[in-house]
Amino acid sequence: MAGRGSGPDFVEALARGLDVLACFDRAHPSMSLTEVASAAGLARPTARRLLLTLVELGFVRSSGGAFSLTPKVLSLGMAYVGALGLWDIARPHLEALVARTGESSSMAQLDGSDIVYVARVSVPKLIALRVDIGTRFPATQTSQGKVLLAALSPDELTATLAERSRAGLPPMIGRPPEQLRAELTEVRARGWALADEELAPGVRSVAVPVRDGAGVVRAAMNVTVHAAETSAERLLRDHLPLLLRTAGDVSAEWAMWQSRPHVEISPDRSAGDAAG
């Protein structure tokens, strides 16, 4: 369920509607009214009203007493990505990187204690985990997550690590907080992070930061390989330099995109210009 606010302007109905959308996932692509109500922690009549509203808005479809999301839900996330301008800038660079390495590459951003994938170019290889746009993983178990966590201030890091993961994966066991903080300090100093079968067996990746025009780390980019095919040494020797160059190019182009002049033309002015 979505977090509950305490401010005077908090809209409970909106939070409940988001709870309903968040109920659907790969394991539950279609649910009955009762299942949605239970998953969202809502009374059945409340869940029914919210579902029918979402059906009318086009975000949910109803068939045979079951409800499921429609592709229109993607517009919510893509509006965010589009507003950043990051995906349009990154896509050709990711494609070129994948063509050179023969390995999948992704971009992710931090959401609480998880990373969320915002861009991906993949190659057809067997790997332990499926990754799509919107997939989330615990940040501490991924190379991209380590890069993003390393960019936080000490207070921000403490608050972020205190949040519960919503990735649905069991937490990694065996790494004390002091060890994690020491690793993040090293990541910050050297500018890249390695995750060696920490997320799943056979999954090895290296990641580097992507910065905005102010130099702030806003995303992370990685190269992912199958551990049985590519050693950590080869990953760092052959792929990391290409990844660093690609992320640098994306950061530079994104900075130029953000600094472009914004011109707003009012309807009255545009009509006048057309008439003239």
Side-chain angles (χ1 to χ4, degrees), residues 83-105:
L84 289 173
L86 186 53
W87 170 229
D88 288 334
I89 292 169
R91 176 166 46 193
H93 293 284
L94 284 174
E95 291 172 346
L97 177 63
V98 169
R100 295 191 67 181
T101 63
E103 306 291 352
S104 298
S105 181

Side-chain angles (χ1 to χ4, degrees), residues 17-42:
L18 294 174
D19 286 341
V20 169
L21 290 177
C23 288
F24 297 92
D25 55 25
R26 190 179 303 159
H28 306 89
S30 178
M31 292 189 287
S32 67
L33 170 58
T34 300
E35 290 171 332
V36 171
S38 176
L42 299 171

Side-chain angles (χ1 to χ4, degrees), residues 113 137-142 145-146 149 161 172 175 180 183 198:
S113 61
F137 292 130
T140 57
Q141 296 173 235
T142 67
K146 293 176 187 178
L149 291 173
L161 295 178
M172 187 175 64
R175 180 192 296 176
L180 173 62
E183 182 179 3
E198 297 172 35

Side-chain angles (χ1 to χ4, degrees), residues 178-196:
E178 310 81 53
Q179 181 182 343
L180 173 62
R181 291 178 184 275
E183 182 179 3
L184 295 179
T185 298
E186 185 177 355
V187 168
R188 189 182 307 111
R190 70 190 180 192
W192 55 268
L194 178 71
D196 196 356

Side-chain angles (χ1 to χ4, degrees), residues 52-148:
L52 293 181
T53 299
L54 292 168
V55 168
E56 190 168 342
L57 292 173
F59 291 107
V60 172
R61 66 167 57 94
S62 175
S63 177
F67 296 89
S68 59
L69 300 182
T70 73
K72 188 176 180 180
V73 172
L74 292 173
S75 66
L76 300 175
M78 292 311 296
Y80 168 68
V81 175
L84 289 173
L86 186 53
W87 170 229
D88 288 334
I89 292 169
R91 176 166 46 193
H93 293 284
L94 284 174
E95 291 172 346
L97 177 63
V98 169
R100 295 191 67 181
T101 63
E103 306 291 352
S104 298
S105 181
S106 306
M107 291 184 64
Q109 294 187 295
L110 201 60
D111 182 22
S113 61
D114 296 329
I115 61 164
V116 177
Y117 284 76
V118 297
R120 179 166 173 82
V121 177
S122 60
V123 295
K125 288 191 175 184
L126 292 176
I127 201 161
L129 293 172
R130 176 178 173 179
V131 177
D132 300 301
I133 303 300
T135 295
R136 62 172 59 237
F137 292 130
T140 57
Q141 296 173 235
T142 67
S143 59
Q144 295 183 95
K146 293 176 187 178
V147 165
L148 295 168

